[in-house]
Amino acid sequence: MPEKEPIPKDKVNLRLLSANGNSHEVAFGVSASCKEVVERVFHNWPSGWNDNFIQKPANPDIIRLIYRGRFLHPSVTLSSISLPLGKTTVLHIVIREKLPVESSTERNGPQPKSPTRTASPSSSCCILL
């Protein structure tokens, strides 16, 4: 098996993992945006990715990148998510027309817990024998 070339110290190596489990590696400078990553993948679509799980889309606008469980906006740069230079980082790639809508919990933060008992004007007591 041939040895891989070392990753340049001024680049971020991205291992793009598709829904079918296949991966493809590409190197970028840290100033590259997610849109640039998506466009390069779109124009150099890996042949092994065309199967029942993932097909090359008609345009790059519906390709989404996921990093640490979050969808990345196309304008996000690799430096803004603090990817390490000279190392390989895994990003998931999915075909999705719309991004998921934020839930109210994500948008407003966690809601305070409601008390398990409701306050009542009467009192209660417990007699221990």
Side-chain angles (χ1 to χ4, degrees):
M1 186 165 153
E3 195 172 313
K4 283 185 171 181
E5 288 186 34
I7 302 163
K9 299 291 182 200
D10 63 336
K11 302 278 184 192
V12 174
N13 192 56
L14 301 178
R15 179 174 296 136
L16 302 171
L17 187 60
S18 70
N20 63 5
N22 290 334
S23 65
H24 179 71
E25 292 190 15
V26 288
F28 283 90
V30 291
S31 63
S33 68
C34 289
K35 181 175 180 154
E36 292 173 71
V37 173
V38 164
E39 285 178 353
R40 185 182 306 169
V41 170
F42 177 77
H43 293 296
N44 301 289
W45 193 258
S47 60
W49 284 9
N50 289 322
D51 64 15
N52 293 335
F53 289 105
I54 189 169
Q55 293 285 325
K56 183 178 180 181
N59 67 64
D61 296 333
I62 63 172
I63 298 174
R64 307 287 184 215
L65 297 176
I66 302 171
Y67 178 62
R68 292 187 174 178
R70 303 257 183 211
F71 283 91
L72 299 177
H73 190 274
S75 65
V76 169
T77 62
L78 300 180
S79 64
S80 69
I81 54 176
S82 303
L83 298 183
L85 290 172
K87 306 276 184 188
T88 299
T89 300
V90 174
L91 295 180
H92 295 260
I93 188 167
V94 294
I95 308 303
R96 190 167 194 160
E97 290 193 31
K98 295 180 181 176
L99 290 176
V101 177
E102 251 182 344
S103 71
S104 62
T105 303
E106 291 172 324
R107 192 171 34 255
N108 301 327
Q111 300 298 315
K113 291 185 178 183
S114 60
T116 54
R117 292 189 208 178
T118 58
S120 68
S122 65
S123 64
S124 60
C125 66
C126 176
I127 299 174
L128 297 174
L129 299 175

